[in-house]
Amino acid sequence: MNIDHLEAFMYVVQLKSIHKAADALFLSQPTVTARIKTLERDLNTELFARQGRGLLLTEHGREFIPYAEQIIQSYKEGKKIMKERDEQEEVIIGANIITSQYFIPFALPLWKRGNPQLRFKFISAPNELLIEKLLQKQVDLAFIKDTTNDGLQKQQLLDNSVRLVVYPDHPLQYEENITANRLAEEPMVFFECGAFDWNRIHKLFEVGKVEPRIEFQVDHLEVAKSIIKSRCAIGFLPYLCIKNELASGELFEIDVAHLIQIKQHVFLTYTNQEVTKWRLWKDIEETVKKF
């Protein structure tokens, strides 16, 4: 059964004429007649009886009217819902690699739950590429490190400072006023990534005129973290990566603020001030608090 056949039937019912129904549907009279005949074959019954030049509904035709109306109405409602879904507002969010790995999986489900009318598209990319995409209007919001660009606005959001961490019961846990010389005695894992100024850590040892025992040099945070957890080394890692392990006691932070401080934050960065009016904006702030 075709929805076009049902609509032709209802137009003929309402206008009491195939000629008028054809005009209303912008179809030829033979086409409307063919649709009625096809519908009658599908139903295995006559819906109209001819009376001179006019048409009269048969008893079966009158009985079928409410069913045809219901089917057409259901079709229109379904079509409307599909159209609304197609027109659903899309939000394109980007994040640098570290934020993508540790914050976004926590946040995206919460944002969708609070904003079912939005469709989310997510892009994980380096900071520099995300800045380009923001300026080219290819991304609405991006979670990136601090940047200075006249075309961008930003809001400090997540603490991602670099911390020195050790495995449980490491001797450094019980020592105070740790020196660069003391750190240089410990095997270390270095995570190399363009997102951080690791030269400052190297400088720490240069100033002390000592060579650090870099026994592992890796380019993946989880690898670096696993090496520390396996009690093979200590290391400097960004907070987002070790947040859960610090909370659970799997890793411990060593206070070396007197030697070095690498304060870093993730900024919510955008080009259009209008985004701050979105309900999503408040949800992002609430998600950061929960995280």
Side-chain angles (χ1 to χ4, degrees):
M1 187 177 295
N2 191 305
I3 196 72
D4 293 334
H5 301 162
L6 292 173
E7 288 182 333
F9 167 70
M10 288 306 304
Y11 268 88
V12 174
V13 169
Q14 293 163 3
L15 299 174
K16 299 180 175 59
S17 164
I18 287 181
H19 171 71
K20 292 179 180 178
D23 287 345
L25 290 166
F26 300 98
L27 298 171
S28 67
Q29 291 186 52
T31 299
V32 174
T33 299
R35 290 182 179 183
I36 297 296
K37 290 295 183 184
T38 300
L39 182 60
E40 288 179 326
R41 285 197 299 271
D42 288 342
L43 297 172
N44 196 29
T45 189
E46 286 190 353
L47 299 172
F48 296 98
R50 287 195 171 273
Q51 189 178 57
R53 293 185 177 182
L55 290 177
L56 289 178
L57 273 167
T58 64
E59 184 178 348
H60 287 161
R62 284 192 294 272
E63 290 175 350
F64 184 63
I65 288 174
Y67 297 103
E69 289 176 330
Q70 184 178 354
I71 293 171
I72 292 171
Q73 183 61 29
S74 296
Y75 171 75
K76 287 180 178 178
E77 290 175 358
K79 188 176 179 180
K80 180 181 178 183
I81 290 172
M82 293 302 104
K83 184 178 180 181
E84 289 174 350
R85 182 175 296 175
D86 289 340
E87 294 175 350
Q88 188 179 34
E89 185 178 3
E90 182 178 72
V91 179
I92 305 176
I93 297 175
N96 59 25
I97 307 303
I98 293 175
T99 312
S100 297
Q101 189 168 357
Y102 298 103
F103 174 69
I104 295 299
F106 172 84
L108 268 182
L110 295 179
W111 297 340
K112 180 60 181 178
R113 199 175 306 152
N115 302 270
Q117 80 284 3
L118 296 179
R119 179 172 61 241
F120 289 86
K121 182 176 180 181
F122 176 71
I123 298 172
S124 179
N127 291 285
E128 292 73 18
L129 180 57
L130 289 173
I131 291 172
E132 289 181 20
K133 288 184 175 294
L134 279 168
L135 295 172
Q136 294 170 8
K137 311 293 186 183
Q138 296 175 358
V139 169
D140 296 308
L141 304 167
F143 295 83
I144 58 177
K145 69 177 183 178
D146 193 10
T147 183
T148 53
N149 189 299
D150 292 338
L152 298 177
Q153 301 179 62
K154 61 189 177 182
Q155 179 175 321
Q156 183 175 304
L157 213 65
L158 294 165
D159 176 18
N160 200 28
S161 300
V162 176
R163 321 284 180 93
L164 175 63
V165 289
V166 301
Y167 50 83
D169 294 323
H170 189 281
L172 289 178
Q173 276 184 253
Y174 312 105
E175 299 179 25
E176 296 180 356
N177 298 319
I178 298 167
T179 64
N181 293 57
R182 175 68 183 89
L183 290 180
E185 296 173 2
E186 297 292 333
M188 301 191 75
V189 54
F190 260 56
F191 165 69
E192 294 287 353
C193 173
F196 298 101
D197 186 7
W198 295 107
N199 287 330
R200 292 183 59 189
I201 298 175
H202 286 285
K203 195 72 175 177
L204 165 68
F205 295 103
E206 288 179 11
V207 170
K209 298 181 179 180
V210 290
E211 281 290 327
R213 285 180 58 189
I214 302 175
E215 300 198 358
F216 305 93
Q217 191 162 325
V218 301
D219 63 356
H220 196 288
L221 279 171
E222 288 300 308
V223 174
K225 186 165 64 176
S226 294
I227 289 173
I228 298 173
K229 290 167 67 175
S230 67
R231 310 174 78 87
C232 292
I234 65 173
F236 289 88
L237 295 178
Y239 179 66
L240 289 184
C241 161
I242 54 177
K243 172 181 172 292
N244 291 336
E245 285 77 11
L246 290 176
S248 66
E250 293 178 83
L251 292 176
F252 285 86
E253 180 182 355
I254 302 300
D255 183 10
V256 289
H258 57 290
L259 294 176
I260 186 172
Q261 292 189 59
I262 305 182
K263 297 288 186 182
Q264 296 181 130
H265 292 87
V266 175
F267 288 78
L268 180 55
T269 311
Y270 52 96
T271 58
N272 185 359
Q273 186 65 42
E274 288 296 311
V275 300
T276 59
K277 297 179 181 178
W278 295 354
R279 177 184 170 187
L280 176 62
W281 191 265
K282 292 183 179 179
D283 287 344
I284 289 174
E285 293 176 332
E286 288 298 317
T287 303
V288 170
K289 292 177 184 177
K290 291 179 181 178
F291 182 73

